[in-house]
Amino acid sequence: MNRMNMNTLGAVAAALVLMLPVSSQAQNAAPPKPPAAGAAEQKAPPPAAPAKSMKEAIVGTWSLLIDDAVKDDGTHVPNFGPNPIGVAMFEADGHFTVAITRAGRPKFASNNRTKGTADENKAVVAGSNAFFGSYAVNEADKSLTLRVDGSTYPNLEGTTQKRTITSLTAGDELTWTNPANKGEVAWKWVK
């Protein structure tokens, strides 16, 4: 063969190699690299935490949503007017504090808590309630028992108040009813 035929034959062979299907070339290619850590990986979600008991779920600070009397026909009447302000704190050691006030109560003209007029004092008493003591949660009957040590309403002091827990979601919401007067109180978890 002459030199020109050899060059022609080499050029044809090179052209044939370039025309081979991509799939046959891919078979000899290096295997693909795995994706970078965390790139497209989907990790399984962590297992759900077990639900807290009512005794554990009640612990924390709660902000008042409603404090209503409930009539026989189911109508709600706010005990402390629209938009009452309140806080409830339940400690893990079994102590609690609850304070509720009517929003927008008038300030004392004297700017002295001990020198309010009869009307100013009446507005305070009718527009607020605070009490504290110890508590227990009964999981079986979904009840909350409050043993009141002190209160702005003296008649509560030394009493035991039972509430029926109608809703309790840890870190979210707490609602109870008062079987004695059919009242309903709802709280939103703060921390």
Side-chain angles (χ1 to χ4, degrees):
M1 278 191 147
N2 69 28
R3 197 162 172 64
M4 189 163 152
N5 285 341
M6 288 295 281
N7 285 338
T8 306
L9 189 57
V12 170
L16 288 173
V17 167
L18 290 175
M19 293 172 59
L20 288 173
V22 174
S23 61
S24 66
Q25 289 179 0
Q27 289 176 2
N28 296 326
K33 292 182 181 179
E41 286 181 33
Q42 292 290 332
K43 291 186 179 180
K52 289 185 176 183
S53 68
M54 291 177 87
K55 184 177 179 180
E56 294 169 318
I58 201 168
V59 173
T61 301
W62 303 83
S63 177
L64 184 67
L65 295 173
I66 64 164
D67 184 333
D68 291 352
V70 181
K71 294 182 176 182
D72 289 336
D73 67 359
T75 306
H76 284 239
V77 179
N79 287 320
F80 296 94
N83 307 310
I85 303 164
V87 65
M89 290 182 257
F90 293 92
E91 299 295 326
D93 69 0
H95 289 87
F96 80 94
T97 300
V98 172
I100 301 169
T101 63
R102 178 183 302 272
R105 290 169 298 129
K107 304 231 185 244
F108 283 24
S110 67
N111 200 29
N112 184 327
R113 162 181 84 75
T114 64
K115 296 185 180 189
T117 66
D119 286 340
E120 290 169 337
N121 285 324
K122 182 178 178 180
V124 168
V125 171
S128 64
N129 192 15
F131 50 102
F132 60 90
S134 58
Y135 75 95
V137 174
N138 183 319
E139 306 266 343
D141 68 359
K142 296 183 179 181
S143 68
L144 171 65
T145 302
L146 306 170
R147 288 174 286 291
V148 181
D149 294 335
S151 175
T152 57
Y153 177 53
N155 296 30
L156 280 181
E157 291 179 3
T159 67
T160 299
Q161 304 287 313
K162 189 170 184 177
R163 306 292 185 256
T164 303
I165 297 173
T166 56
S167 176
L168 176 54
T169 308
D172 186 27
E173 153 190 330
L174 167 63
T175 305
W176 69 59
T177 58
N178 182 343
N181 66 10
K182 298 182 183 174
E184 181 177 56
V185 181
W187 305 91
K188 182 78 177 160
W189 193 76
V190 177
K191 66 176 188 166

